[in-house]
Short mmCIF file of all heavy atoms in Angstrom, two decimals:
data_model
loop_
_atom_site.label_atom_id
_atom_site.label_comp_id
_atom_site.label_asym_id
_atom_site.label_seq_id
_atom_site.Cartn_x
_atom_site.Cartn_y
_atom_site.Cartn_z
N LEU A 154 115.76 64.66 82.50
CA LEU A 154 116.13 64.84 83.88
C LEU A 154 117.22 63.85 84.26
O LEU A 154 117.13 62.67 83.96
CB LEU A 154 114.90 64.65 84.76
CG LEU A 154 114.98 65.10 86.20
CD1 LEU A 154 115.31 66.59 86.29
CD2 LEU A 154 113.67 64.83 86.91
N TRP A 155 118.26 64.32 84.92
CA TRP A 155 119.42 63.52 85.33
C TRP A 155 120.10 62.84 84.14
O TRP A 155 120.59 61.72 84.24
CB TRP A 155 119.06 62.46 86.38
CG TRP A 155 118.77 63.03 87.72
CD1 TRP A 155 119.65 63.64 88.56
CD2 TRP A 155 117.51 63.03 88.40
NE1 TRP A 155 119.01 64.04 89.70
CE2 TRP A 155 117.70 63.67 89.63
CE3 TRP A 155 116.24 62.56 88.07
CZ2 TRP A 155 116.66 63.85 90.54
CZ3 TRP A 155 115.23 62.74 88.97
CH2 TRP A 155 115.45 63.38 90.19
N SER A 156 120.13 63.51 83.02
CA SER A 156 120.79 62.95 81.85
C SER A 156 122.28 62.75 82.15
O SER A 156 122.95 63.67 82.62
CB SER A 156 120.64 63.90 80.65
OG SER A 156 121.33 63.40 79.54
N PRO A 157 122.80 61.57 81.89
CA PRO A 157 124.23 61.35 82.16
C PRO A 157 125.10 62.19 81.22
O PRO A 157 124.71 62.50 80.10
CB PRO A 157 124.43 59.85 81.90
CG PRO A 157 123.25 59.41 81.12
CD PRO A 157 122.13 60.39 81.36
N TRP A 158 126.26 62.56 81.73
CA TRP A 158 127.21 63.29 80.91
C TRP A 158 127.71 62.39 79.79
O TRP A 158 127.87 61.19 79.98
CB TRP A 158 128.40 63.77 81.74
CG TRP A 158 128.05 64.67 82.88
CD1 TRP A 158 128.26 64.42 84.21
CD2 TRP A 158 127.43 65.96 82.83
NE1 TRP A 158 127.82 65.48 84.97
CE2 TRP A 158 127.31 66.44 84.14
CE3 TRP A 158 126.98 66.76 81.78
CZ2 TRP A 158 126.75 67.68 84.45
CZ3 TRP A 158 126.42 67.99 82.09
CH2 TRP A 158 126.32 68.44 83.40
N LYS A 159 127.99 62.97 78.65
CA LYS A 159 128.48 62.21 77.50
C LYS A 159 130.00 62.10 77.49
O LYS A 159 130.55 61.40 76.65
CB LYS A 159 127.97 62.83 76.20
CG LYS A 159 126.46 62.68 76.04
CD LYS A 159 126.01 63.15 74.69
CE LYS A 159 124.51 62.89 74.50
NZ LYS A 159 124.06 63.32 73.17
N LEU A 160 130.67 62.81 78.38
CA LEU A 160 132.13 62.81 78.45
C LEU A 160 132.56 62.56 79.89
O LEU A 160 131.74 62.58 80.80
CB LEU A 160 132.67 64.15 77.95
CG LEU A 160 132.27 64.53 76.52
CD1 LEU A 160 132.49 66.01 76.29
CD2 LEU A 160 133.04 63.71 75.52
N GLN A 161 133.87 62.38 80.07
CA GLN A 161 134.40 62.15 81.42
C GLN A 161 135.72 62.90 81.59
O GLN A 161 136.34 63.33 80.61
CB GLN A 161 134.64 60.66 81.65
CG GLN A 161 133.40 59.82 81.63
CD GLN A 161 133.71 58.34 81.82
OE1 GLN A 161 134.83 57.96 82.13
NE2 GLN A 161 132.71 57.50 81.63
N GLY A 162 136.15 63.02 82.84
CA GLY A 162 137.46 63.57 83.15
C GLY A 162 137.65 64.99 82.63
O GLY A 162 136.76 65.83 82.68
N ASP A 163 138.87 65.23 82.12
CA ASP A 163 139.22 66.57 81.62
C ASP A 163 138.34 67.00 80.45
O ASP A 163 138.05 68.19 80.29
CB ASP A 163 140.69 66.62 81.21
CG ASP A 163 141.63 66.53 82.41
OD1 ASP A 163 141.17 66.78 83.55
OD2 ASP A 163 142.82 66.21 82.20
N GLU A 164 137.93 66.02 79.62
CA GLU A 164 137.05 66.36 78.49
C GLU A 164 135.70 66.88 78.99
O GLU A 164 135.14 67.79 78.40
CB GLU A 164 136.84 65.14 77.59
CG GLU A 164 138.04 64.76 76.76
CD GLU A 164 137.76 63.56 75.87
OE1 GLU A 164 136.98 62.66 76.27
OE2 GLU A 164 138.32 63.53 74.77
N LEU A 165 135.21 66.29 80.08
CA LEU A 165 133.95 66.75 80.65
C LEU A 165 134.09 68.17 81.20
O LEU A 165 133.23 69.02 80.98
CB LEU A 165 133.46 65.80 81.74
CG LEU A 165 132.17 66.22 82.47
CD1 LEU A 165 131.01 66.39 81.50
CD2 LEU A 165 131.83 65.21 83.55
N VAL A 166 135.17 68.44 81.91
CA VAL A 166 135.40 69.78 82.45
C VAL A 166 135.42 70.79 81.32
O VAL A 166 134.76 71.84 81.38
CB VAL A 166 136.71 69.83 83.27
CG1 VAL A 166 137.06 71.27 83.65
CG2 VAL A 166 136.61 68.95 84.50
N ALA A 167 136.16 70.49 80.25
CA ALA A 167 136.24 71.41 79.10
C ALA A 167 134.87 71.57 78.43
O ALA A 167 134.50 72.69 78.04
CB ALA A 167 137.27 70.90 78.09
N ALA A 168 134.12 70.49 78.30
CA ALA A 168 132.80 70.56 77.67
C ALA A 168 131.83 71.39 78.50
O ALA A 168 131.04 72.17 77.96
CB ALA A 168 132.25 69.15 77.46
N LYS A 169 131.88 71.25 79.82
CA LYS A 169 131.03 72.07 80.69
C LYS A 169 131.39 73.55 80.53
O LYS A 169 130.50 74.40 80.50
CB LYS A 169 131.19 71.65 82.15
CG LYS A 169 130.54 70.32 82.49
CD LYS A 169 130.82 70.00 83.96
CE LYS A 169 130.21 68.72 84.42
NZ LYS A 169 130.50 68.45 85.84
N GLN A 170 132.68 73.85 80.45
CA GLN A 170 133.09 75.24 80.27
C GLN A 170 132.64 75.77 78.91
O GLN A 170 132.20 76.91 78.81
CB GLN A 170 134.60 75.37 80.45
CG GLN A 170 135.02 75.17 81.89
CD GLN A 170 136.52 75.27 82.11
OE1 GLN A 170 137.31 75.22 81.17
NE2 GLN A 170 136.92 75.39 83.36
N ASP A 171 132.72 74.94 77.88
CA ASP A 171 132.21 75.35 76.57
C ASP A 171 130.71 75.62 76.63
O ASP A 171 130.23 76.61 76.08
CB ASP A 171 132.50 74.28 75.52
CG ASP A 171 133.97 74.21 75.12
OD1 ASP A 171 134.72 75.16 75.43
OD2 ASP A 171 134.37 73.19 74.52
N ALA A 172 129.97 74.73 77.30
CA ALA A 172 128.52 74.91 77.43
C ALA A 172 128.21 76.18 78.21
O ALA A 172 127.27 76.92 77.88
CB ALA A 172 127.90 73.70 78.12
N LEU A 173 129.02 76.46 79.22
CA LEU A 173 128.83 77.68 79.99
C LEU A 173 129.07 78.90 79.12
O LEU A 173 128.31 79.88 79.18
CB LEU A 173 129.78 77.66 81.19
CG LEU A 173 129.37 78.51 82.37
CD1 LEU A 173 129.80 77.85 83.66
CD2 LEU A 173 129.94 79.88 82.25
N ARG A 174 130.10 78.85 78.27
CA ARG A 174 130.37 79.97 77.35
C ARG A 174 129.19 80.19 76.39
O ARG A 174 128.80 81.32 76.13
CB ARG A 174 131.63 79.70 76.54
CG ARG A 174 132.92 79.93 77.27
CD ARG A 174 134.10 79.78 76.30
NE ARG A 174 135.34 79.63 76.98
CZ ARG A 174 135.96 78.47 77.23
NH1 ARG A 174 135.45 77.33 76.83
NH2 ARG A 174 137.10 78.46 77.87
N VAL A 175 128.66 79.09 75.85
CA VAL A 175 127.52 79.19 74.93
C VAL A 175 126.32 79.79 75.65
O VAL A 175 125.65 80.70 75.13
CB VAL A 175 127.17 77.80 74.34
CG1 VAL A 175 125.84 77.83 73.61
CG2 VAL A 175 128.29 77.31 73.42
N SER A 176 126.04 79.31 76.85
CA SER A 176 124.91 79.81 77.63
C SER A 176 125.08 81.31 77.92
O SER A 176 124.13 82.09 77.79
CB SER A 176 124.82 79.03 78.95
OG SER A 176 123.84 79.57 79.78
N LEU A 177 126.28 81.70 78.28
CA LEU A 177 126.57 83.11 78.55
C LEU A 177 126.36 83.95 77.29
O LEU A 177 125.72 85.00 77.33
CB LEU A 177 128.00 83.28 79.07
CG LEU A 177 128.47 84.71 79.31
CD1 LEU A 177 127.59 85.42 80.34
CD2 LEU A 177 129.93 84.71 79.73
N ALA A 178 126.87 83.48 76.15
CA ALA A 178 126.73 84.23 74.89
C ALA A 178 125.25 84.38 74.51
O ALA A 178 124.84 85.45 74.04
CB ALA A 178 127.50 83.52 73.78
N GLU A 179 124.47 83.34 74.74
CA GLU A 179 123.03 83.41 74.43
C GLU A 179 122.34 84.44 75.33
O GLU A 179 121.49 85.21 74.86
CB GLU A 179 122.38 82.04 74.59
CG GLU A 179 122.78 81.06 73.50
CD GLU A 179 122.26 79.65 73.73
OE1 GLU A 179 121.79 79.34 74.85
OE2 GLU A 179 122.34 78.85 72.78
N GLN A 180 122.70 84.47 76.60
CA GLN A 180 122.10 85.45 77.50
C GLN A 180 122.50 86.86 77.11
O GLN A 180 121.66 87.78 77.11
CB GLN A 180 122.53 85.16 78.95
CG GLN A 180 121.95 83.88 79.51
CD GLN A 180 122.54 83.57 80.86
OE1 GLN A 180 122.17 84.19 81.86
NE2 GLN A 180 123.46 82.61 80.92
N GLN A 181 123.77 87.05 76.77
CA GLN A 181 124.23 88.37 76.37
C GLN A 181 123.56 88.83 75.07
O GLN A 181 123.15 89.98 74.95
CB GLN A 181 125.75 88.38 76.24
CG GLN A 181 126.43 88.25 77.60
CD GLN A 181 127.93 88.03 77.51
OE1 GLN A 181 128.43 87.39 76.59
NE2 GLN A 181 128.66 88.54 78.49
N ALA A 182 123.42 87.91 74.12
CA ALA A 182 122.75 88.25 72.85
C ALA A 182 121.29 88.62 73.07
O ALA A 182 120.73 89.44 72.34
CB ALA A 182 122.87 87.08 71.87
N ALA A 183 120.68 88.02 74.09
CA ALA A 183 119.27 88.31 74.39
C ALA A 183 119.11 89.59 75.21
O ALA A 183 117.99 90.02 75.48
CB ALA A 183 118.65 87.13 75.14
N GLY A 184 120.23 90.19 75.63
CA GLY A 184 120.16 91.43 76.39
C GLY A 184 119.93 91.23 77.88
O GLY A 184 119.49 92.15 78.57
N ILE A 185 120.23 90.05 78.39
CA ILE A 185 120.06 89.77 79.82
C ILE A 185 121.09 90.59 80.60
O ILE A 185 122.27 90.58 80.28
CB ILE A 185 120.22 88.26 80.10
CG1 ILE A 185 119.17 87.44 79.34
CG2 ILE A 185 120.20 87.96 81.59
CD1 ILE A 185 117.75 87.71 79.73
N ASP A 186 120.64 91.27 81.63
CA ASP A 186 121.51 92.13 82.43
C ASP A 186 122.29 91.36 83.49
O ASP A 186 123.46 91.62 83.72
CB ASP A 186 120.69 93.24 83.11
CG ASP A 186 119.98 94.13 82.11
OD1 ASP A 186 120.66 94.61 81.18
OD2 ASP A 186 118.76 94.33 82.26
N ILE A 187 121.62 90.48 84.21
CA ILE A 187 122.24 89.69 85.27
C ILE A 187 122.30 88.25 84.76
O ILE A 187 121.28 87.58 84.65
CB ILE A 187 121.43 89.76 86.58
CG1 ILE A 187 121.25 91.21 87.01
CG2 ILE A 187 122.11 88.94 87.67
CD1 ILE A 187 120.24 91.40 88.13
N VAL A 188 123.49 87.80 84.42
CA VAL A 188 123.64 86.49 83.77
C VAL A 188 123.82 85.39 84.81
O VAL A 188 124.09 85.66 85.99
CB VAL A 188 124.82 86.50 82.77
CG1 VAL A 188 124.56 87.49 81.64
CG2 VAL A 188 126.13 86.79 83.48
N SER A 189 123.69 84.15 84.35
CA SER A 189 123.89 82.99 85.22
C SER A 189 124.70 81.94 84.48
O SER A 189 125.02 82.11 83.30
CB SER A 189 122.54 82.41 85.64
OG SER A 189 121.97 81.67 84.57
N ASP A 190 124.97 80.86 85.17
CA ASP A 190 125.68 79.74 84.54
C ASP A 190 124.74 78.90 83.69
O ASP A 190 125.18 77.99 83.00
CB ASP A 190 126.36 78.88 85.60
CG ASP A 190 125.37 78.15 86.50
OD1 ASP A 190 124.26 78.69 86.75
OD2 ASP A 190 125.69 77.05 86.97
N GLY A 191 123.44 79.18 83.76
CA GLY A 191 122.47 78.37 83.04
C GLY A 191 122.41 76.94 83.55
O GLY A 191 121.82 76.07 82.92
N GLU A 192 123.07 76.70 84.68
CA GLU A 192 123.17 75.37 85.29
C GLU A 192 123.79 74.35 84.34
O GLU A 192 123.46 73.17 84.35
CB GLU A 192 121.81 74.92 85.82
CG GLU A 192 121.29 75.83 86.92
CD GLU A 192 119.99 75.40 87.51
OE1 GLU A 192 119.68 74.20 87.51
OE2 GLU A 192 119.26 76.29 87.99
N GLN A 193 124.74 74.81 83.54
CA GLN A 193 125.38 73.93 82.56
C GLN A 193 126.32 72.91 83.19
O GLN A 193 126.63 71.89 82.58
CB GLN A 193 126.16 74.77 81.54
CG GLN A 193 125.28 75.70 80.73
CD GLN A 193 124.21 74.97 79.95
OE1 GLN A 193 124.51 74.09 79.15
NE2 GLN A 193 122.96 75.31 80.18
N THR A 194 126.77 73.17 84.41
CA THR A 194 127.76 72.29 85.03
C THR A 194 127.14 71.29 86.00
O THR A 194 127.86 70.56 86.67
CB THR A 194 128.83 73.11 85.76
OG1 THR A 194 128.20 73.87 86.80
CG2 THR A 194 129.56 74.04 84.80
#
């Protein structure tokens, strides 16, 4: 809970977007119809 981010600045923004992509791909692979951000950001 409240784990600090491991990156900062532009690297953090890019990492959050990568995590969001991974979360989205996992939901799509599982057949989820209404997807979310998985609260990755």
Side-chain angles (χ1 to χ4, degrees):
L154 194 59
W155 288 293
S156 177
W158 300 118
K159 292 187 175 181
L160 302 163
Q161 296 178 9
D163 291 342
E164 288 181 327
L165 177 58
V166 172
K169 287 178 180 180
Q170 290 179 345
D171 287 345
L173 204 146
R174 282 186 196 98
V175 168
S176 174
L177 176 60
E179 289 174 347
Q180 292 173 76
Q181 291 171 326
I185 300 297
D186 299 309
I187 304 169
V188 297
S189 76
D190 66 329
E192 297 182 28
Q193 298 301 303
T194 61

